[in-house]
Each structure stands twice: as structure tokens, then as C-alpha cells.
Amino acid sequence: MNHEQVLAEIREANLTYLMLAQTLIRQDKAEAVFRLGLNEEAADLLASLSPSQVMKIASRNTLLCSFRVDDTLVWGLLTNHDTPRKVGNEATNTLHANILMASRVSEVL
Amino acid sequence: MTDTTASTGTSTPKRAAAKSVLNESRQIERAALLIGMGARMQVLESETTLSYERLIRLYKEIAGKSPSKGQLPFSTDWFLTWQENIHSSLFLNIYEYLGKGMDLDSVDLLTKAYRLYSEQIEIAQVEPLLSFTRAWRLVKFVDAGMLTRTQCSDCKGQFVTELYENRGYVCGLCNPPARAGKSKTSGALMLH
């Protein structure tokens, strides 16, 4: 990928993210808060953006959404890799990861 | 549509003006939603202001059968057994997450949290052990101070427990009991 392609790909990803986020928030804000890991204030802000604002914000050299899995345990459970204990099959690990991720209330405060 | 109910729904159902036609239609809509999710009569009686007779009629109309009779199980034990605890903890975490993130009316909070729980269970291809009525019961137990969430000292996740767990509490996933995860039923959680 050359320089221009990289920027175009980032803009594309940002655009997709922002448009999906807006759709989710307008459909059901509470569900969107959970799915996106954003607080209500941020959700209101995103939903209020006009298409031209969305276009403008998307055009930058960095991504607007960041990685939500920031600890090695959850990462290990999701990839079924390096799980520290004897614990489980894929479904059990997925649920464990879900429990851990839903425990992070600080995301939405 | 869901947005309007979310923003107007801060008052508790019991206190709403009983005579208003608009309120009654809101109550019927709410009862219909709950019946559709598989709620039993006890849930409907507690979460709406409609009379028992009207609820029965509504139930038959929507579900096409009479509601199941009898009392709900009153013990907190169910939520503490291994597999059930995993389901209960997942649901309660989603419930608390939504409750902290949004200002929602109690029925909205319950139904949205339950829907998100069901989604995650379906994606993980596991049997949905926690019924909607059980989920409601769990919330009532927590409200009444009979169950709570405790942080696992190992994985740091929140799990449904009794009130006074000791400080070194370890969850059933970090330290499964000897006989856990051996179920042969399809859709049951397993351990290797």
C-alpha cells in the first residue's frame, strides 16, 4: 500500500465506523451504548453529526475508533490462545471474555 | 419508538395515573412486550399496572395459551451453581453496564439487557439457560440485597455471588469446581 492508499483506507474505515455508529444510536441508543462502548454524551454527539461533518472528521491520518480488548486475559480468551488455566472449550472462553468486557462499566461513565 | 419510551419512562409504573387512556395503552404495550419475551404472570403483575384479569386475557391473546401457574422458585441457589452462575453474571453485567450508561426505565433496562444477553449466547452457540423470568428474578434478588456482584480476585470480572464473599473470591471460570463442565447436554458449557 502506498501513502495515498493508506490514507484512503483509513478514511474509508472511519467513514464506515461513523455511519454504523450513527445508525445504531438512532435505532436504539441504549443498545448502541453497549455495542460501541461509548457513554451517552458521546453517543448524542455522534448522532448529531451532519453528513458533511462526518466526511470531514473521517478524513484524517489516524483511526477514530480504538481497540476495546486491552488486556491479555481477554485477548487470550477470545483467540483461544494462551489461556492461563485448564479452562474451557470455545463457548466457555467466549462467555468468560464477554463477562469481563461487560464488567467494564468505566467505559460508559 | 423505543427512544420515546426510554425518555418518558423515568417514573415508576405503580405511580403513573391509573385512569389515563394513554397510560393504559402504554401499559398494554409494555405487557405485550414482556409476554413476547416469555415473562410469567408474576413479572407482568409487578411491572405493569393492569389488572390480573386483563393480563390473563392479554396473555392468552398473545401467547395463544394460558400462562403457567404456580409460584416462581424463591431460592437464590439456582444463580450460584456453576453453569447458571456464568449465565447470570453475564446478564447482570450487561444490565449494570446499561443502567450506568443510560437513564432507562426499569422495564426497558430489563428487556434491552436480556436481548443483548440472548444475542451473546446465540453467538457463542450455547443454550440460553437464563429465561426472561429468571433474569427478572435475579434483578429483584439483587435489589432486595439477597445477591450481589463480587469481583473475581483472579480475572477481575464481576460475578453474581452471595452478599459476604471473602476477599479472595475466585470465580467459577478461573477455578471450576471438580464436577463442572462435564455435562453431555448439547449447548452446555464445557471444560477440557
Side-chain angles (χ1 to χ4, degrees), chain B residues 88-155:
Chain B
S88 309
S89 302
L90 178 60
F91 168 77
L92 194 59
N93 282 347
I94 296 174
Y95 181 88
E96 296 287 341
Y97 189 105
L98 281 185
K100 291 275 175 2
M102 289 278 297
D103 189 15
L104 288 175
D105 143 284
S106 67
V107 170
D108 280 335
L109 182 52
L110 191 69
T111 49
K112 285 176 198 296
Y114 190 76
R115 224 175 272 141
L116 288 165
Y117 155 81
S118 308
E119 249 177 40
Q120 293 203 336
I121 291 298
E122 201 183 307
I123 293 169
Q125 295 178 306
V126 176
E127 203 50 43
L129 266 192
L130 188 78
S131 71
F132 182 73
T133 301
R134 285 262 193 213
W136 171 80
R137 196 84 179 134
L138 173 61
V139 170
K140 292 287 160 198
F141 278 140
V142 174
D143 286 348
M146 293 165 76
L147 288 171
T148 188
R149 289 190 307 165
T150 304
Q151 189 177 53
C152 168
S153 59
D154 209 340
C155 70

Side-chain angles (χ1 to χ4, degrees), chain A residues 28 35 87 92 103 107, chain B residues 97 112 119 158 173-174 190:
Chain A
D28 188 320
R35 292 190 207 279
V87 160
T92 315
S103 302
E107 286 180 346
Chain B
Y97 189 105
K112 285 176 198 296
E119 249 177 40
Q158 299 279 348
L173 282 163
C174 290
M190 285 184 294

